Amino acid sequence: MTVTVRTEGVGPSAVFALPWLVADELGYFAEENVAVEFVRNRAEQKLTEPVADHELVDSIRNHVPFEEGQVDLYRACEWGQIRRAHDSRRGARIIGKRSSVAVMALMAAPGSKYIYPQTLANAPVAVSFHNGNHYAAIQMLEGFLEADEIKTVGYHTIDGYRAVQSGEAAAVALSEPWITLAEKQGFQKVIETHYAGLELVAPDFDRAAYAACNRAVVRAVAALGRDKRPYLHYLIDSLPEVFAGEITPDDFHLPRLRYVPPEPYTRLEFERAYAWMRRWGLIEPGARYEDLVVEDTQTDAVH
């Protein structure tokens, strides 16, 4: 019997779903009797202008297909997934750590005065609120600036990119393949980091299906470890059409693209991330590991 798993993976989230896309391409899911349907994210809340207060932006806004039941599983940054599990109307639960280790960089316009973190004091930094670039931007800057000197402003990624080009924003937080694009177009990097992500599932998601998916993903991670280049087209194709032809596989710095076997998400990791989010007022008090995380599935799912 073949199980169908619907997951986000095409479009902007391709870099985070790459092991899933590779596992599908190489037939690893089929060998596990799993059929994977990749669904494009759809934003319900549109940002027509920059937003200075993250409370005005819905944490679910990029993951409407999950809330509507069109998706069973999706992956995003650790902090954002804690917030979304807390906010989910459908009852999303964290089931484990994703295999994609994200890279995030703050990129400034060519030749601008923003050349190291301290130069961004009180300067607008374009982020996508409640996504990894929002949280990672704060974490990158808090080692150099006082809290009240960090000025994040909410944009859609392409709008933040354009805001830097026009001088409206000092820097924009970008993941791949946007970093490669920005470097190709002359942007200068201010700071860069890597961070973990989590996978959320529907409350009735089958743990045996998750285990089967992860066996396929582990094989795909090994394939990516041997050579990432045959699969970089997924990342290139995820850019908006206006940037078609701007970058090629040869433009990527491959060590930035890090993929590891999926792992359980521990209570210690949750408590550390949640405490940091509380310090910054990024989530309400009272969230508990046992309410947001599927505790007893994770070791079995990986192995």
Side-chain angles (χ1 to χ4, degrees):
M1 178 180 177
T2 300
V3 175
T4 299
V5 175
R6 298 165 300 175
T7 182
E8 294 176 348
V10 293
S13 61
V15 65
F16 307 124
L18 190 58
W20 284 70
L21 294 164
V22 171
D24 190 55
E25 178 180 325
L26 298 180
Y28 297 155
F29 287 127
E31 292 176 23
E32 293 287 348
N33 293 317
V34 175
V36 175
E37 178 185 343
F38 294 100
V39 179
R40 181 177 290 272
N41 291 352
R42 188 181 83 255
E44 186 175 69
Q45 182 183 18
K46 304 293 185 182
L47 301 182
T48 57
E49 59 185 22
V51 178
D53 184 357
H54 70 87
E55 292 294 347
L56 300 177
V57 178
D58 184 1
S59 71
I60 306 294
R61 66 188 176 91
N62 288 331
H63 302 280
V64 175
F66 176 87
E67 291 295 317
E68 292 180 346
Q70 301 167 28
V71 167
D72 309 304
L73 179 152
Y74 69 93
R75 61 205 62 80
C77 75
E78 177 183 12
W79 315 283
Q81 296 293 64
I82 292 173
R83 174 67 188 261
R84 278 182 282 276
H86 177 268
D87 293 351
S88 175
R89 297 175 291 275
R90 189 182 175 193
R93 302 284 298 281
I94 297 164
I95 198 168
K97 293 163 70 175
R98 71 183 178 196
S99 56
S100 171
V101 178
V103 61
M104 190 65 60
L106 300 186
M107 307 292 293
S112 78
K113 66 180 181 180
Y114 305 108
I115 55 177
Y116 53 89
Q118 291 92 331
T119 62
L120 289 173
N122 296 306
V125 176
V127 304
S128 177
F129 283 141
H130 308 302
N131 289 316
N133 58 53
H134 173 201
Y135 303 108
I138 294 173
Q139 290 215 341
M140 283 188 280
L141 291 175
E142 68 179 347
F144 299 91
L145 303 175
E146 297 297 329
D148 61 1
E149 293 179 313
I150 299 174
K151 307 298 183 184
T152 53
V153 183
Y155 290 82
H156 292 301
T157 299
I158 189 170
D159 295 329
Y161 194 91
R162 295 304 193 203
V164 168
Q165 290 179 314
S166 69
E168 180 180 305
V172 58
L174 299 174
S175 60
E176 286 288 20
W178 286 92
I179 297 172
T180 295
L181 174 69
E183 289 183 329
K184 188 80 175 284
Q185 296 194 334
F187 280 55
Q188 56 196 27
K189 186 195 304 173
V190 180
I191 189 172
E192 179 179 306
T193 191
H194 283 83
Y195 60 88
L198 303 176
E199 293 180 320
L200 290 190
V201 294
D204 57 351
F205 191 72
D206 184 85
R207 57 185 288 178
Y210 185 65
C213 287
N214 274 345
R215 289 192 294 270
V217 166
V218 166
R219 295 175 65 189
V221 167
L224 285 164
R226 292 189 292 270
D227 190 358
K228 300 181 182 73
R229 288 168 294 185
Y231 312 107
L232 295 178
H233 64 91
Y234 289 111
L235 277 58
I236 294 170
D237 293 345
S238 73
L239 286 169
E241 189 174 345
V242 67
F243 297 118
E246 287 287 328
I247 59 174
T248 72
D250 291 336
D251 294 320
F252 285 84
H253 179 56
L254 296 181
R256 280 200 192 114
L257 300 172
R258 302 179 185 180
Y259 297 96
V260 297
E263 297 178 340
Y265 188 52
T266 67
R267 182 180 293 272
L268 177 61
E269 290 171 310
F270 171 85
E271 296 293 352
R272 180 186 296 119
Y274 180 68
W276 178 82
M277 294 176 73
R278 285 293 307 130
R279 286 200 302 274
W280 280 88
L282 297 168
I283 194 170
E284 297 174 358
R288 302 189 308 162
Y289 179 83
E290 50 267 35
D291 294 333
L292 303 185
V293 181
V294 184
E295 294 184 73
D296 60 347
T297 64
Q298 299 181 61
T299 302
D300 291 345
V302 176
H303 301 291

